Amino acid sequence: ALVAAKSLVEVQEVQPLALASCVGRALAVAASELGSRPFSAGSADGSEKLLVRLTTLLRNVVCCASYAAAAPGAHRPHGRPPAPEAVACEVAVRSFVLSSGLASVVHSLVTRALPLGEAELLEYADDPEAWVWEEAASREGASLRRCAERCVSSLAEQAAARAAVQAAVHAAANEAAAAGLASCEAVLRLDGCYAALAMVHGPAEADSLCAVVSALQTHCSAAPPDSAHLLRRRAASLLGHSLSAPELVRTSAHEQASIEGWYTLLGMLLQDPHPGVSLTAAIAIRRLIEASDAVPRTPPLDESCAPAAPPLRRLARVTLVPVLRLALSAREVQSRWRLIALAARLISRASPPRAAEAADEDDSACADRAAAVAGWLRAAWSASDGQQLLQEAVLDCAAAALHAIS
């Protein structure tokens, strides 16, 4: 079965019309397997690998442009009628999307693939630092959860499927919330639902995202103390995912205030006592900075919006010292290196651009931050134990600090 699924994925990617005779059956089999086949994340029995291939196949088929081009009313630049194979595939996909099959698949992905498994939870509890970095670097080809995340997100981007996907995710979330948070399993189920909610509501849907964040905060407070950190970790991940979207828009003053408050919340999560939460928040901040480097932020988040410091610069100022502390407390070399690299970027971000020297921060706060950086540089150099990778990262921080005050 695994070889057959892998072959179908490869054929569909190279020659999508070759599947004209079996698209409907392939979607039905994928839906059935995703809803019923038992698996254990990271298991050696091949079940997770099979489900990864079937999830990939389902996503590629439903989102295939070659099939969509054969839909009635679709734009055809050359005016030629679509090939019979393309029409057959489009009819099969449309039938699947309009039936209960799509909702069933989404429900299976949200409730079975997205929550952490028992073995993963034990691994996370044993070494949160290593687990968080491994999870951040995981790829969809090897992780059913990553594959399911992309599948749900891609399906929600399809105009014909969007409403059904959102409805299925909300139904799963409502079921999980109604079941309560008495057990760790219930918390994990709700955690998976929030992962899906972040993916099916795009940045243009600011009102929906605000409602999701608000509900997640409520559930973080209501969850049992020994498992609430799982939802706080989800909150950090969700905020990083949402805030890193450059097309984030606000449709009302209330939503604008709520979204700017997310930066404050992200800064608070960075100082969470649980290492899994604080590291996830650090990764979210790194993602946000990388996204803003690649694509300018939508006003009023742009760096040029003087005289008040924009939220991203305020976030850099608030989170710099906690990131410095986190870098010193990290156990693994790669973890410390990544956090020191993040600190260097925060140092640069915390300083206003030369064109905005009309201070948006009082001198005492700036002096305190500079003193904290200077003290940290000495401690970090001593803690590097002669390791070149860490020493170079510390020197990068020193260079960023000198540039900021020059």
Side-chain angles (χ1 to χ4, degrees), residues 256-281:
Q256 178 177 341
S258 296
I259 293 175
E260 291 189 2
W262 293 357
Y263 288 87
T264 302
L265 179 57
L266 190 54
M268 293 171 60
L269 291 168
L270 180 67
Q271 302 181 61
D272 193 276
H274 194 283
V277 179
S278 57
L279 282 173
T280 301

Side-chain angles (χ1 to χ4, degrees), residues 206-233:
D207 54 343
S208 297
L209 284 173
C210 287
V212 169
V213 173
S214 178
L216 180 51
Q217 287 180 275
T218 300
H219 284 126
C220 285
S221 301
D226 60 343
S227 55
H229 64 89
L230 295 167
L231 292 180
R232 296 199 302 273
R233 186 187 72 86

Side-chain angles (χ1 to χ4, degrees), residues 106-117 145 148-149 152 168-170 172-174 176 181 184-200 212 216 230-231 233-235 238:
V106 173
H107 188 274
S108 297
L109 292 174
V110 172
T111 58
R112 302 186 74 233
L114 292 185
L116 292 182
R145 183 165 51 257
E149 287 176 354
V152 172
V169 170
H170 278 276
N174 290 335
L181 298 171
C184 184
E185 182 181 357
V187 172
L188 290 173
R189 191 180 305 116
L190 189 61
D191 174 71
C193 291
Y194 275 114
L197 285 168
M199 289 177 284
V200 300
V212 169
L216 180 51
L230 295 167
L231 292 180
R233 186 187 72 86
R234 175 58 56 198
L238 187 153

Side-chain angles (χ1 to χ4, degrees), residues 149-338:
E149 287 176 354
R150 184 179 175 191
C151 183
V152 172
S153 178
S154 299
L155 293 176
E157 293 173 357
Q158 303 300 306
R162 184 171 184 78
V165 172
Q166 288 184 336
V169 170
H170 278 276
N174 290 335
E175 290 175 9
L181 298 171
S183 66
C184 184
E185 182 181 357
V187 172
L188 290 173
R189 191 180 305 116
L190 189 61
D191 174 71
C193 291
Y194 275 114
L197 285 168
M199 289 177 284
V200 300
H201 290 296
E205 299 176 293
D207 54 343
S208 297
L209 284 173
C210 287
V212 169
V213 173
S214 178
L216 180 51
Q217 287 180 275
T218 300
H219 284 126
C220 285
S221 301
D226 60 343
S227 55
H229 64 89
L230 295 167
L231 292 180
R232 296 199 302 273
R233 186 187 72 86
R234 175 58 56 198
S237 178
L238 187 153
L239 290 172
H241 170 81
S242 300
L243 287 172
S244 62
E247 67 272 32
L248 189 68
V249 297
R250 276 77 70 132
T251 57
S252 71
H254 169 71
E255 289 158 2
Q256 178 177 341
S258 296
I259 293 175
E260 291 189 2
W262 293 357
Y263 288 87
T264 302
L265 179 57
L266 190 54
M268 293 171 60
L269 291 168
L270 180 67
Q271 302 181 61
D272 193 276
H274 194 283
V277 179
S278 57
L279 282 173
T280 301
I283 292 172
I285 293 169
R286 183 184 67 174
R287 177 178 181 177
L288 176 55
I289 290 177
E290 289 174 348
S292 65
D293 286 344
V295 183
R297 312 307 294 165
T298 302
L301 302 185
D302 191 86
E303 292 293 330
S304 62
C305 56
L312 189 53
R313 193 185 306 152
R314 293 201 301 269
L315 178 69
R317 291 169 178 172
V318 169
T319 59
L320 173 57
V321 173
V323 167
L324 296 177
R325 293 174 183 153
L326 201 58
L328 285 178
S329 65
R331 294 183 297 100
E332 298 186 357
V333 172
Q334 286 294 324
S335 179
R336 290 164 61 188
W337 173 72
R338 292 186 181 103

